[in-house]
Amino acid sequence: MRFMLLQNYGPVESDCPPMPEWSPADIKAHIDFQHALNSELLERGELVDAQGLAGPEQARRVVSDGTGAPVITDGPFPEAKELLAGYRLVDVDTPARAIEIAAQASAAPGPDGMPIRQPIEVRQVLSAPDPEL
Amino acid sequence: MTAGATTTEGLLRELAPRALGAVARRSGDFAAAEDAVQEALLAAATRWPADGTPDNPLGWLIRVAARRLTDEYRSEEARRRREVLAASWSLTAPAGPAPGEDDTGRDDSLILMFMCCHPSLTPGSAIPLTLRAVGGLTTREIAAAFLVPEPTMAQRVSRAKATLKASGEPFTLPPPDQRAGRLRSVLHVLYLLFNEGYASSGGPDLARSDLSGEAIRLARGLHASLPADPEVTGLLALMVLTDARRPARTGPGGELIPLAVQDRSRWDRALITEGITLITGALRQGQPGEYQIQAAIAAVHDQAPSHAGTDWAQILSLYGWLERRTGNPMVTLNRAVAEAMVAGPAAGLARLEGVRARLGGHHRFHAVRGHLLEMAGDGAGAASEFRAAAAGTANLRERHYLTAKAASLPPGRTGDAG
């Protein structure tokens, strides 16, 4: 079964400052952690995809009625904190395993290696139907 | 693809488990043998169509794989790995053929099947390993079928082999006292593989429907090895009888068409005949099991001229048997549908109440209750159940179907869902 593990730009549950205020060594440790987690998931045969998204400043919102020119709004938007920052798509044996990975991702290191307690949203990917419908 | 390539591919897939059986038995090292044979198959797939198929294709594959294995053992890094490996295998595994087995590998596919569906593996690992080792598929093909990147699938396969190695499973048939239990694992894995493909057949997931064909092919192989086992025959019959309905099961846009309204003229008569012959023979042995009974139910559906003209009384009694045997509340859901067809929706709804405590939150419970309420003429109640079912399912096409079902009914008086 597949799960999308989502993280947005909202506040983390620790008191840590935004990443631009971290020391270069702490930023590197954080990025290394993300790479190591992806390698671990690949090595376990669970990783389908992992991506970070460009920031809210580059985001655009497009609305169209299908005929006229679309209405394009440039970011950042007022509700930027709810904007998706990145995701991992994993293929695992159980929902419990998806939670376990999310917990691991949530505890990514921040300043001085303290876990930042990033909220991770766990969403199951809809798949094909059961055969006996 | 040229005809030559197709022929080579078919031949290679036929020979894959026999080559692997021979190399694994000689080396006593299933994991390394499996890698070596996979490489030999890839080499053959490019060379045979160009150079012509060798006179002894099986011998060619075994020779090339054995050479790869030797090269692998010679490399320094591999030597260290082998020492660890030898330590773990020498305790349990005789390297030579077991008594009563020859080296041509008549039983090899069967041994491989038992290995790949070992109880220490999760189905998510056992299925790709079986497809590779017994089915002769490449990692790339398996990854494409399961929609994961190739390196991820490669890791899943190699971890599965590492787990097997740790279990100390020797390359022989399981001892007689364990065989029935181990066979259950094999049948379960093939059943899940079939469902994986069947559930996603049609529409944008078309490639995945090959998995059902793969499951049928493997089940045919298993049936050839164990023709006297009625549950093996039952599983093959179940697959064939279910697959016969595939052409009628999805609409042009990939949408689900439930059994009740399928165009039965599109069912595959040849498969139905084959399935009925298989299940009739199996049931005659007088040792009914879960797969045989499920196949019998599928056979009753396949022989019915219409949904209304189905022998629901027989289906009801077969579900009753399955329910007593398995205690599975999901079986009770199906039994309730049959009951409604035999004795009216009120009887089916009463039967459902018996599993409300255990299944009341499950989307299938709501879907079945929706159908029975619709039969009973309670459109509003049915729509509400279909909406609850749509919200609870993890399946996209099922959600579409259930949402459309709810929308087709009169507006609800309950109005508790959006």
Side-chain angles (χ1 to χ4, degrees):
Chain A
M1 51 186 67
R2 285 171 185 243
F3 288 87
M4 194 75 138
L5 311 184
L6 305 165
Q7 57 193 74
N8 60 28
Y9 284 101
V12 297
E13 302 233 336
S14 63
D15 305 329
C16 90
M19 206 190 280
E21 296 168 29
W22 300 3
S23 75
D26 286 337
I27 292 175
K28 182 177 183 307
H30 181 87
I31 292 169
D32 288 348
F33 169 90
Q34 302 292 354
H35 285 305
L37 178 55
N38 289 344
S39 302
E40 183 191 329
L41 295 174
L42 171 63
E43 194 272 327
R44 291 179 63 120
E46 295 172 331
L47 185 69
V48 180
D49 194 17
Q51 300 293 341
L53 305 183
E57 298 76 12
Q58 293 183 54
R60 288 175 173 198
R61 185 160 287 165
V62 180
V63 176
S64 167
D65 63 5
T67 50
V71 178
I72 302 168
T73 317
D74 287 337
F77 314 113
E79 64 278 31
K81 287 185 190 321
E82 286 155 30
L83 215 60
L84 191 63
Y87 66 85
R88 284 190 175 86
L89 181 59
V90 294
D91 190 344
V92 291
D93 285 324
T94 61
R97 174 62 192 148
I99 300 284
E100 189 176 286
I101 298 168
Q104 226 178 324
S106 174
D112 302 323
M114 291 295 286
I116 59 173
R117 288 189 279 150
Q118 163 95 50
I120 307 288
E121 197 175 308
V122 178
R123 306 284 303 275
Q124 186 170 0
V125 178
L126 292 179
S127 63
D130 293 344
E132 295 164 41
L133 181 81
Chain B
M1 185 179 284
T2 66
T6 308
T7 314
T8 299
E9 193 186 314
L11 179 61
L12 288 175
R13 301 207 34 213
E14 183 101 353
L15 295 176
R18 297 172 61 193
L20 175 52
V23 179
R25 179 170 299 125
R26 282 179 202 175
S27 65
D29 181 350
F30 169 73
E34 207 273 335
D35 280 333
V37 169
Q38 178 90 181
E39 284 184 46
L41 291 170
L42 290 170
T46 48
R47 277 162 63 181
W48 293 5
D51 304 348
T53 304
D55 293 335
N56 176 0
L58 179 61
W60 190 98
L61 286 173
I62 292 172
R63 207 165 51 247
V64 170
R67 202 180 302 140
R68 299 275 160 126
L69 202 57
T70 313
D71 291 348
E72 167 83 355
Y73 283 161
R74 279 191 189 131
S75 80
E76 193 59 24
E77 190 191 19
R79 191 181 59 76
R80 281 199 300 276
R81 268 189 279 150
R82 184 188 170 207
E83 282 166 2
V84 177
L85 189 74
S88 70
W89 275 82
S90 59
L91 300 173
T92 49
E101 288 171 20
D102 60 29
D103 207 27
T104 58
R106 203 167 47 82
D107 290 332
D108 282 350
S109 288
L110 189 57
I111 296 173
L112 287 171
M113 201 80 102
F114 278 118
M115 289 281 282
C116 296
C117 304
H118 194 270
S120 65
L121 300 177
T122 63
S125 303
I127 287 174
L129 184 58
T130 305
L131 287 172
R132 218 173 92 132
V134 193
L137 289 180
T138 63
T139 305
R140 180 193 297 266
E141 289 167 327
I142 301 165
F146 284 91
L147 308 172
V148 302
E150 192 176 342
T152 297
M153 189 51 82
Q155 278 304 122
R156 209 176 285 181
V157 169
S158 77
R159 282 177 70 91
K161 289 194 288 186
T163 303
L164 269 185
K165 202 178 294 171
S167 78
E169 178 71 12
F171 193 81
T172 55
L173 285 171
D177 61 322
Q178 292 175 19
R179 232 170 263 184
R182 294 288 303 278
L183 185 58
R184 283 187 67 81
S185 302
V186 172
L187 294 177
H188 184 60
V189 165
L190 293 184
Y191 178 73
L192 292 178
L193 173 61
F194 178 79
N195 282 351
E196 182 84 29
Y198 188 71
S200 53
S201 62
D205 297 320
L206 201 58
R208 292 166 55 75
S209 70
D210 294 350
L211 292 175
S212 303
E214 217 38 63
I216 291 175
R217 183 171 167 265
L218 291 167
R220 284 191 195 287
L222 187 63
H223 178 59
S225 297
L226 299 171
D229 187 291
E231 277 292 84
V232 172
T233 312
L235 178 61
L236 176 58
L238 173 61
M239 290 180 181
V240 165
L241 290 165
T242 307
D243 204 49
R245 301 198 287 260
R246 178 203 298 277
R249 194 170 170 267
T250 43
E255 72 276 14
L256 273 183
I257 302 178
L259 183 61
V261 293
Q262 284 175 15
D263 174 1
R264 292 172 185 235
S265 71
R266 299 182 67 200
W267 291 358
D268 187 325
R269 294 290 142 192
L271 285 179
I272 291 174
T273 304
E274 183 194 357
I276 287 171
T277 306
L278 285 167
I279 189 56
T280 308
L283 288 170
R284 205 170 282 148
Q285 289 176 249
Q287 305 158 41
E290 291 168 40
Y291 294 114
Q292 291 170 78
I293 298 304
Q294 289 188 66
I297 292 167
V300 174
H301 281 303
D302 284 7
Q303 289 172 293
S306 65
H307 189 66
T310 302
D311 186 351
W312 287 106
Q314 195 181 349
I315 287 182
L316 178 59
S317 95
L318 290 166
Y319 273 127
W321 187 96
L322 260 187
E323 190 184 38
R324 285 190 299 277
R325 173 75 158 242
T326 66
N328 182 348
M330 300 300 272
V331 173
T332 309
L333 293 185
N334 291 322
R335 185 181 174 191
V337 173
E339 199 136 31
M341 295 304 290
V342 171
L349 286 164
R351 171 75 55 193
L352 273 190
E353 290 311 306
V355 288
R356 184 186 279 281
R358 281 207 282 169
L359 277 186
H362 197 282
H363 73 275
R364 285 285 274 280
F365 177 87
H366 292 296
V368 168
R369 195 152 190 280
H371 279 292
L372 299 189
L373 287 174
E374 186 187 8
M375 271 177 82
D378 178 1
S384 165
E385 291 289 358
F386 284 131
R387 280 194 296 268
T393 180
N395 305 316
L396 188 57
R397 264 185 285 157
E398 195 170 43
R399 186 162 83 181
H400 289 158
Y401 167 78
L402 292 163
T403 305
K405 209 54 208 160
S408 72
L409 291 159
R413 56 166 186 256
T414 43
D416 56 350

